Short mmCIF file of all heavy atoms in Angstrom, two decimals:
data_model
loop_
_atom_site.label_atom_id
_atom_site.label_comp_id
_atom_site.label_asym_id
_atom_site.label_seq_id
_atom_site.Cartn_x
_atom_site.Cartn_y
_atom_site.Cartn_z
N GLU A 12 8.14 4.28 19.85
CA GLU A 12 6.69 4.43 19.85
C GLU A 12 6.30 5.65 19.02
O GLU A 12 6.98 6.68 19.05
CB GLU A 12 6.16 4.57 21.27
CG GLU A 12 4.67 4.47 21.35
CD GLU A 12 4.18 4.18 22.76
OE1 GLU A 12 4.96 3.66 23.57
OE2 GLU A 12 3.01 4.48 23.02
N GLN A 13 5.23 5.53 18.29
CA GLN A 13 4.77 6.60 17.41
C GLN A 13 3.86 7.56 18.15
O GLN A 13 2.96 7.12 18.86
CB GLN A 13 4.04 5.98 16.21
CG GLN A 13 3.53 6.98 15.19
CD GLN A 13 3.08 6.28 13.93
OE1 GLN A 13 3.69 5.33 13.50
NE2 GLN A 13 2.01 6.77 13.34
N GLN A 14 4.10 8.84 17.97
CA GLN A 14 3.21 9.87 18.52
C GLN A 14 2.05 10.02 17.55
O GLN A 14 2.24 10.42 16.41
CB GLN A 14 3.95 11.19 18.70
CG GLN A 14 5.14 11.10 19.64
CD GLN A 14 4.74 10.62 21.03
OE1 GLN A 14 3.73 11.05 21.57
NE2 GLN A 14 5.52 9.72 21.59
N VAL A 15 0.85 9.69 17.99
CA VAL A 15 -0.32 9.69 17.12
C VAL A 15 -1.16 10.93 17.39
O VAL A 15 -1.58 11.17 18.51
CB VAL A 15 -1.17 8.42 17.34
CG1 VAL A 15 -2.39 8.43 16.44
CG2 VAL A 15 -0.33 7.18 17.11
N GLU A 16 -1.37 11.72 16.33
CA GLU A 16 -2.21 12.90 16.45
C GLU A 16 -3.66 12.59 16.10
O GLU A 16 -4.58 13.22 16.59
CB GLU A 16 -1.69 14.01 15.53
CG GLU A 16 -0.31 14.50 15.95
CD GLU A 16 0.24 15.55 15.03
OE1 GLU A 16 -0.56 16.19 14.30
OE2 GLU A 16 1.46 15.74 15.03
N ARG A 17 -3.85 11.62 15.21
CA ARG A 17 -5.19 11.20 14.80
C ARG A 17 -5.26 9.69 14.93
O ARG A 17 -4.39 9.06 15.50
CB ARG A 17 -5.46 11.61 13.35
CG ARG A 17 -5.47 13.10 13.14
CD ARG A 17 -5.88 13.46 11.76
NE ARG A 17 -4.90 12.98 10.79
CZ ARG A 17 -4.98 13.21 9.50
NH1 ARG A 17 -5.99 13.88 9.00
NH2 ARG A 17 -4.07 12.77 8.68
N ASN A 18 -6.28 9.10 14.35
CA ASN A 18 -6.44 7.66 14.32
C ASN A 18 -5.26 7.02 13.60
O ASN A 18 -4.85 7.47 12.53
CB ASN A 18 -7.76 7.33 13.60
CG ASN A 18 -8.07 5.86 13.59
OD1 ASN A 18 -7.21 5.00 13.72
ND2 ASN A 18 -9.34 5.57 13.43
N LEU A 19 -4.71 5.96 14.16
CA LEU A 19 -3.56 5.28 13.58
C LEU A 19 -3.85 4.77 12.17
O LEU A 19 -2.94 4.61 11.36
CB LEU A 19 -3.18 4.10 14.48
CG LEU A 19 -1.80 3.49 14.31
CD1 LEU A 19 -0.71 4.52 14.57
CD2 LEU A 19 -1.64 2.31 15.24
N GLU A 20 -5.12 4.55 11.84
CA GLU A 20 -5.50 4.02 10.53
C GLU A 20 -5.67 5.10 9.47
O GLU A 20 -6.01 4.79 8.33
CB GLU A 20 -6.75 3.17 10.65
CG GLU A 20 -6.52 1.93 11.50
CD GLU A 20 -7.73 1.05 11.60
OE1 GLU A 20 -8.82 1.44 11.15
OE2 GLU A 20 -7.58 -0.05 12.15
N GLU A 21 -5.46 6.37 9.82
CA GLU A 21 -5.51 7.44 8.83
C GLU A 21 -4.25 7.41 8.00
O GLU A 21 -3.20 6.94 8.44
CB GLU A 21 -5.67 8.80 9.53
CG GLU A 21 -6.95 8.95 10.30
CD GLU A 21 -8.18 8.99 9.41
OE1 GLU A 21 -8.10 9.51 8.28
OE2 GLU A 21 -9.24 8.49 9.85
N TRP A 22 -4.34 7.94 6.78
CA TRP A 22 -3.25 7.86 5.81
C TRP A 22 -1.88 8.29 6.36
O TRP A 22 -0.92 7.51 6.31
CB TRP A 22 -3.62 8.65 4.56
CG TRP A 22 -2.55 8.64 3.53
CD1 TRP A 22 -1.70 9.65 3.22
CD2 TRP A 22 -2.19 7.56 2.66
NE1 TRP A 22 -0.84 9.28 2.24
CE2 TRP A 22 -1.12 7.99 1.87
CE3 TRP A 22 -2.67 6.28 2.49
CZ2 TRP A 22 -0.52 7.19 0.91
CZ3 TRP A 22 -2.07 5.46 1.54
CH2 TRP A 22 -1.02 5.93 0.76
N PRO A 23 -1.72 9.51 6.91
CA PRO A 23 -0.36 9.91 7.32
C PRO A 23 0.19 9.06 8.47
O PRO A 23 1.37 8.73 8.48
CB PRO A 23 -0.50 11.37 7.76
CG PRO A 23 -1.91 11.76 7.54
CD PRO A 23 -2.69 10.57 7.09
N GLU A 24 -0.67 8.70 9.41
CA GLU A 24 -0.21 7.89 10.53
C GLU A 24 0.15 6.48 10.09
O GLU A 24 1.16 5.92 10.52
CB GLU A 24 -1.29 7.86 11.63
CG GLU A 24 -1.39 9.13 12.44
CD GLU A 24 -2.06 10.30 11.72
OE1 GLU A 24 -2.69 10.08 10.67
OE2 GLU A 24 -1.95 11.43 12.22
N ALA A 25 -0.67 5.89 9.23
CA ALA A 25 -0.38 4.54 8.73
C ALA A 25 0.91 4.51 7.93
O ALA A 25 1.69 3.57 8.02
CB ALA A 25 -1.55 4.03 7.89
N ARG A 26 1.15 5.55 7.14
CA ARG A 26 2.40 5.62 6.37
C ARG A 26 3.61 5.69 7.31
O ARG A 26 4.64 5.09 7.05
CB ARG A 26 2.40 6.82 5.43
CG ARG A 26 1.29 6.79 4.42
CD ARG A 26 1.64 6.46 3.03
NE ARG A 26 2.85 7.07 2.56
CZ ARG A 26 3.62 6.50 1.67
NH1 ARG A 26 3.29 5.34 1.18
NH2 ARG A 26 4.71 7.08 1.25
N GLN A 27 3.46 6.40 8.41
CA GLN A 27 4.54 6.48 9.39
C GLN A 27 4.76 5.11 10.04
O GLN A 27 5.89 4.70 10.27
CB GLN A 27 4.23 7.55 10.44
CG GLN A 27 5.38 7.82 11.37
CD GLN A 27 5.09 8.94 12.34
OE1 GLN A 27 4.02 9.53 12.35
NE2 GLN A 27 6.05 9.22 13.20
N VAL A 28 3.69 4.40 10.34
CA VAL A 28 3.80 3.04 10.88
C VAL A 28 4.59 2.17 9.90
O VAL A 28 5.50 1.43 10.29
CB VAL A 28 2.41 2.41 11.15
CG1 VAL A 28 2.52 0.91 11.41
CG2 VAL A 28 1.71 3.09 12.30
N MET A 29 4.25 2.26 8.62
CA MET A 29 4.94 1.44 7.61
C MET A 29 6.42 1.80 7.53
O MET A 29 7.26 0.91 7.41
CB MET A 29 4.26 1.60 6.25
CG MET A 29 2.89 0.96 6.24
SD MET A 29 1.89 1.14 4.74
CE MET A 29 2.96 1.73 3.50
N ARG A 30 6.76 3.08 7.60
CA ARG A 30 8.18 3.48 7.56
C ARG A 30 8.92 2.92 8.77
O ARG A 30 10.03 2.40 8.65
CB ARG A 30 8.30 5.00 7.53
CG ARG A 30 8.09 5.60 6.16
CD ARG A 30 8.52 7.06 6.11
NE ARG A 30 7.66 7.92 6.90
CZ ARG A 30 6.52 8.43 6.48
NH1 ARG A 30 6.08 8.17 5.26
NH2 ARG A 30 5.80 9.20 7.26
N ARG A 31 8.29 3.02 9.96
CA ARG A 31 8.93 2.51 11.17
C ARG A 31 9.10 0.99 11.10
O ARG A 31 10.14 0.47 11.47
CB ARG A 31 8.08 2.89 12.39
CG ARG A 31 8.13 4.37 12.71
CD ARG A 31 7.18 4.83 13.81
NE ARG A 31 7.12 3.95 14.96
CZ ARG A 31 6.09 3.15 15.25
NH1 ARG A 31 5.01 3.12 14.49
NH2 ARG A 31 6.11 2.39 16.31
N LEU A 32 8.07 0.29 10.61
CA LEU A 32 8.15 -1.16 10.50
C LEU A 32 9.22 -1.57 9.49
O LEU A 32 10.02 -2.47 9.75
CB LEU A 32 6.79 -1.75 10.12
CG LEU A 32 6.74 -3.27 9.91
CD1 LEU A 32 7.28 -4.02 11.11
CD2 LEU A 32 5.32 -3.70 9.59
N GLY A 33 9.26 -0.91 8.34
CA GLY A 33 10.27 -1.23 7.33
C GLY A 33 11.68 -1.02 7.85
O GLY A 33 12.57 -1.85 7.63
N ALA A 34 11.91 0.09 8.56
CA ALA A 34 13.24 0.38 9.10
C ALA A 34 13.63 -0.62 10.19
O ALA A 34 14.77 -1.10 10.24
CB ALA A 34 13.28 1.81 9.65
N ALA A 35 12.67 -0.96 11.06
CA ALA A 35 12.96 -1.92 12.13
C ALA A 35 13.24 -3.30 11.55
O ALA A 35 14.16 -3.99 11.99
CB ALA A 35 11.79 -1.98 13.11
N PHE A 36 12.47 -3.70 10.55
CA PHE A 36 12.69 -5.00 9.88
C PHE A 36 14.08 -5.01 9.25
O PHE A 36 14.82 -5.98 9.39
CB PHE A 36 11.62 -5.24 8.82
CG PHE A 36 11.77 -6.54 8.10
CD1 PHE A 36 11.26 -7.71 8.64
CD2 PHE A 36 12.43 -6.61 6.88
CE1 PHE A 36 11.41 -8.92 7.98
CE2 PHE A 36 12.58 -7.82 6.22
CZ PHE A 36 12.07 -8.98 6.77
N ASN A 37 14.45 -3.94 8.58
CA ASN A 37 15.76 -3.82 7.94
C ASN A 37 16.87 -3.99 8.99
O ASN A 37 17.85 -4.70 8.75
CB ASN A 37 15.87 -2.47 7.24
CG ASN A 37 17.21 -2.26 6.59
OD1 ASN A 37 18.16 -1.85 7.23
ND2 ASN A 37 17.27 -2.53 5.30
N ALA A 38 16.70 -3.37 10.14
CA ALA A 38 17.71 -3.43 11.19
C ALA A 38 17.88 -4.83 11.76
O ALA A 38 18.99 -5.31 11.92
CB ALA A 38 17.38 -2.43 12.30
N VAL A 39 16.76 -5.52 12.08
CA VAL A 39 16.85 -6.84 12.73
C VAL A 39 17.22 -7.95 11.76
O VAL A 39 17.68 -9.00 12.19
CB VAL A 39 15.58 -7.22 13.51
CG1 VAL A 39 15.27 -6.19 14.59
CG2 VAL A 39 14.40 -7.47 12.62
N THR A 40 17.02 -7.73 10.47
CA THR A 40 17.36 -8.78 9.49
C THR A 40 18.69 -8.51 8.79
O THR A 40 19.07 -9.24 7.89
CB THR A 40 16.25 -8.94 8.43
OG1 THR A 40 16.10 -7.70 7.73
CG2 THR A 40 14.94 -9.38 9.05
N GLY A 41 19.37 -7.46 9.19
CA GLY A 41 20.68 -7.17 8.60
C GLY A 41 20.58 -6.67 7.17
O GLY A 41 21.37 -7.03 6.33
N GLY A 42 19.58 -5.85 6.90
CA GLY A 42 19.44 -5.26 5.57
C GLY A 42 18.28 -5.79 4.76
O GLY A 42 18.14 -5.45 3.59
N GLY A 43 17.42 -6.59 5.37
CA GLY A 43 16.27 -7.14 4.66
C GLY A 43 15.27 -6.05 4.28
O GLY A 43 15.15 -5.04 4.96
N PHE A 44 14.59 -6.28 3.19
CA PHE A 44 13.58 -5.33 2.70
C PHE A 44 12.20 -5.94 2.90
O PHE A 44 11.97 -7.09 2.54
CB PHE A 44 13.81 -5.03 1.21
CG PHE A 44 12.73 -4.17 0.62
CD1 PHE A 44 12.66 -2.82 0.91
CD2 PHE A 44 11.78 -4.72 -0.23
CE1 PHE A 44 11.66 -2.01 0.36
CE2 PHE A 44 10.78 -3.94 -0.79
CZ PHE A 44 10.72 -2.58 -0.49
N LEU A 45 11.31 -5.16 3.48
CA LEU A 45 9.93 -5.60 3.70
C LEU A 45 9.04 -4.74 2.82
O LEU A 45 8.92 -3.54 3.03
CB LEU A 45 9.55 -5.43 5.17
CG LEU A 45 8.18 -5.93 5.60
CD1 LEU A 45 8.00 -7.42 5.27
CD2 LEU A 45 7.98 -5.70 7.09
N ASP A 46 8.44 -5.37 1.81
CA ASP A 46 7.54 -4.66 0.90
C ASP A 46 6.21 -4.46 1.60
O ASP A 46 5.57 -5.42 2.01
CB ASP A 46 7.38 -5.50 -0.38
CG ASP A 46 6.67 -4.74 -1.49
OD1 ASP A 46 6.64 -3.50 -1.44
OD2 ASP A 46 6.16 -5.41 -2.41
N LEU A 47 5.82 -3.19 1.75
CA LEU A 47 4.60 -2.85 2.48
C LEU A 47 3.66 -2.05 1.59
O LEU A 47 4.10 -1.22 0.81
CB LEU A 47 4.95 -1.98 3.70
CG LEU A 47 5.87 -2.62 4.72
CD1 LEU A 47 6.50 -1.57 5.62
CD2 LEU A 47 5.09 -3.62 5.56
N TYR A 48 2.36 -2.31 1.75
CA TYR A 48 1.36 -1.56 0.99
C TYR A 48 0.19 -1.27 1.92
O TYR A 48 -0.31 -2.16 2.61
CB TYR A 48 0.88 -2.37 -0.22
CG TYR A 48 -0.08 -1.60 -1.08
CD1 TYR A 48 0.39 -0.66 -1.99
CD2 TYR A 48 -1.44 -1.80 -0.96
CE1 TYR A 48 -0.50 0.06 -2.77
CE2 TYR A 48 -2.33 -1.08 -1.74
CZ TYR A 48 -1.86 -0.15 -2.64
OH TYR A 48 -2.74 0.58 -3.40
N PHE A 49 -0.24 -0.01 1.94
CA PHE A 49 -1.34 0.41 2.81
C PHE A 49 -2.65 0.40 2.04
O PHE A 49 -2.76 0.95 0.95
CB PHE A 49 -1.08 1.82 3.36
CG PHE A 49 -2.21 2.37 4.19
CD1 PHE A 49 -2.62 1.72 5.34
CD2 PHE A 49 -2.84 3.53 3.82
CE1 PHE A 49 -3.66 2.23 6.11
CE2 PHE A 49 -3.88 4.06 4.58
CZ PHE A 49 -4.28 3.40 5.73
N HIS A 50 -3.67 -0.22 2.64
CA HIS A 50 -5.03 -0.22 2.11
C HIS A 50 -5.89 0.59 3.07
O HIS A 50 -6.18 0.13 4.17
CB HIS A 50 -5.60 -1.64 2.03
CG HIS A 50 -4.79 -2.59 1.23
ND1 HIS A 50 -4.90 -2.70 -0.12
CD2 HIS A 50 -3.83 -3.47 1.61
CE1 HIS A 50 -4.05 -3.62 -0.55
NE2 HIS A 50 -3.39 -4.09 0.48
N PRO A 51 -6.30 1.81 2.68
CA PRO A 51 -7.16 2.58 3.58
C PRO A 51 -8.51 1.89 3.79
O PRO A 51 -8.87 1.01 3.02
CB PRO A 51 -7.36 3.91 2.85
CG PRO A 51 -6.57 3.84 1.61
CD PRO A 51 -6.02 2.47 1.44
N ASP A 52 -9.19 2.29 4.86
CA ASP A 52 -10.51 1.68 5.09
C ASP A 52 -11.43 2.00 3.91
O ASP A 52 -11.27 3.00 3.24
CB ASP A 52 -11.12 2.12 6.42
CG ASP A 52 -11.37 3.61 6.49
OD1 ASP A 52 -10.73 4.37 5.74
OD2 ASP A 52 -12.20 4.02 7.31
N CYS A 53 -12.35 1.10 3.68
CA CYS A 53 -13.20 1.21 2.50
C CYS A 53 -14.66 1.16 2.94
O CYS A 53 -15.15 0.11 3.37
CB CYS A 53 -12.90 0.07 1.54
SG CYS A 53 -13.91 0.10 0.05
N VAL A 54 -15.33 2.30 2.83
CA VAL A 54 -16.73 2.36 3.21
C VAL A 54 -17.57 1.50 2.27
O VAL A 54 -18.49 0.80 2.68
CB VAL A 54 -17.22 3.83 3.18
CG1 VAL A 54 -18.71 3.90 3.45
CG2 VAL A 54 -16.45 4.65 4.20
N ARG A 55 -17.21 1.52 0.99
CA ARG A 55 -17.98 0.78 -0.01
C ARG A 55 -17.96 -0.73 0.24
O ARG A 55 -18.97 -1.39 0.16
CB ARG A 55 -17.43 1.09 -1.40
CG ARG A 55 -18.22 0.49 -2.52
CD ARG A 55 -17.72 1.00 -3.85
NE ARG A 55 -16.27 1.08 -3.86
CZ ARG A 55 -15.49 0.56 -4.79
NH1 ARG A 55 -16.01 -0.03 -5.81
NH2 ARG A 55 -14.20 0.66 -4.73
#
């Protein structure tokens, strides 16, 4: 579980989520790579 200091959707927290997801995916798939891209919220 991730320790969240701010909103999970903020840049540093979301990047940490992506790292954790990529590593977990790699582990359960025996080395699989999950290409991830973060889109921050867009006021416009």
Side-chain angles (χ1 to χ4, degrees):
E12 191 163 338
Q13 182 169 321
Q14 300 302 317
V15 179
E16 295 178 21
R17 296 187 295 183
N18 184 337
L19 197 60
E20 295 182 352
E21 297 292 327
W22 179 256
E24 285 74 14
R26 300 254 319 149
Q27 188 176 0
V28 167
M29 290 176 14
R30 280 193 292 276
R31 290 173 42 253
L32 178 54
F36 180 84
N37 179 276
V39 302
T40 60
F44 174 74
L45 184 57
D46 190 20
L47 299 162
Y48 184 80
F49 176 60
H50 303 275
D52 62 338
C53 179
V54 175
R55 185 172 41 129

